[in-house]
Amino acid sequence: GDSVTQMEGPVTLSEEAFLTINCTYTATGYPSLFWYVQYPGEGLQLLLKATKADDKGSNKGFEATYRKETTSFHLEKGSVQVSDSAVYFCALSNSGYALNFGKGTSLLVTP
Amino acid sequence: EAGVAQSPRYKIIEKRQSVAFWCNPISGHATLYWYQQILGQGPKLLIQFQNNGVVDDSQLPKDRFSAERLKGVDSTLKIQPAKLEDSAVYLCASSSPRVLKKDGYTFGSGTRLTVV
């Protein structure tokens, strides 16, 4: 079945450091790919998404490119802030069905 | 546009008791999902409704969990009897084909269940 694998956390970075959170997927067909973020004490929020190969999703300085050849959707940000501290979830959806989530990666950004 | 509403926000019950959670999706969203998120893990789908019909309940522990979506709008998820391992956040989400490509899925704030 479909699945998502993302890098283990926690990830600890200093403010203004470069962030990469790896995500790879296994799926039949052409899934849509998502990154969701969960800030402490809050619900899941859509961060960005891509619906076809080579699409780049971007939001709040975060980017991820849908790479079909490597079945990857890595999340990147050039300069993280303390306010980016959260748990990040990679997810996929096939043919409009329910989201299938990875286990999440906790990010802590220190001043 | 109002978001996905869930209640209660928190619930503490003893094992073997029953509990129910309520979800009101975004108006016009035909598809409704219930997820279980155990601490430190990603959300896991329990059940997906399309209007008032079940699309996927393959991961719903049907010996103790039940869900319904009467009239294709609000939904309730029930656990009876609860076990310690049911302690988790229960998330409701909704979507519609019209907004799926633009906005994705919208999640409620969740109900945090603690079984003691």
Side-chain angles (χ1 to χ4, degrees):
Chain A
D2 297 347
S3 66
V4 174
T5 302
Q6 55 183 114
M7 62 187 283
E8 297 267 341
V11 174
T12 303
L13 295 173
S14 298
E15 206 165 23
E16 299 183 3
F18 184 87
L19 168 71
T20 299
I21 300 178
N22 291 336
C23 171
T24 57
Y25 69 90
T26 302
T28 56
Y30 303 94
S32 294
L33 301 174
F34 303 80
W35 277 101
Y36 278 80
V37 60
Q38 193 169 38
Y39 297 103
E42 299 185 17
L44 280 166
Q45 301 175 28
L46 177 65
L47 181 60
L48 54 84
K49 66 181 183 354
T51 56
K52 61 183 187 296
D54 300 325
D55 267 3
K56 177 186 284 188
S58 61
N59 186 25
K60 299 181 181 179
F62 290 89
E63 293 183 340
T65 301
Y66 188 148
R67 301 285 188 201
K68 189 163 178 62
E69 63 275 15
T70 54
T71 62
S72 65
F73 192 55
H74 304 322
L75 182 68
E76 296 182 336
K77 186 175 186 182
S79 175
V80 293
Q81 305 300 311
V82 172
S83 57
D84 294 326
S85 297
V87 181
Y88 293 82
F89 293 93
C90 185
L92 70 81
S93 171
N94 225 332
S95 304
Y97 283 92
L99 286 165
N100 193 330
F101 286 90
K103 292 185 176 180
T105 302
S106 176
L107 170 66
L108 176 63
V109 180
T110 58
Chain B
E1 178 181 73
V4 175
Q6 289 189 248
S7 67
R9 282 301 306 272
Y10 305 93
K11 191 76 177 177
I12 301 175
I13 62 171
E14 294 183 351
K15 59 183 178 184
R16 290 188 290 275
Q17 284 188 322
S18 62
V19 64
F21 313 125
W22 174 81
C23 172
N24 180 240
I26 290 176
S27 177
H29 280 195
T31 311
L32 185 147
Y33 314 81
W34 283 103
Y35 286 85
Q36 179 193 59
Q37 186 178 15
I38 293 173
L39 185 65
Q41 299 183 20
K44 182 186 84 170
L45 179 71
L46 291 175
I47 189 167
Q48 176 183 348
F49 290 95
Q50 181 72 21
N51 295 310
N52 60 350
V54 174
V55 174
D56 182 0
D57 63 357
S58 57
Q59 298 190 82
L60 186 74
K62 298 181 186 65
D63 58 334
R64 297 184 300 107
F65 286 64
S66 64
E68 61 182 11
R69 192 183 183 197
L70 299 176
K71 301 181 182 179
V73 182
D74 293 5
S75 177
T76 50
L77 176 70
K78 296 179 182 177
I79 308 174
Q80 182 180 10
K83 292 185 175 181
L84 295 176
E85 60 258 37
D86 298 332
S87 294
V89 175
Y90 291 84
L91 296 165
C92 180
S94 69
S95 69
S96 76
R98 183 177 60 83
V99 300
L100 194 58
K101 286 201 170 184
K102 176 176 173 289
D103 300 324
Y105 305 73
T106 303
F107 284 82
S109 297
T111 296
R112 182 177 297 278
L113 173 68
T114 302
V115 182
V116 297

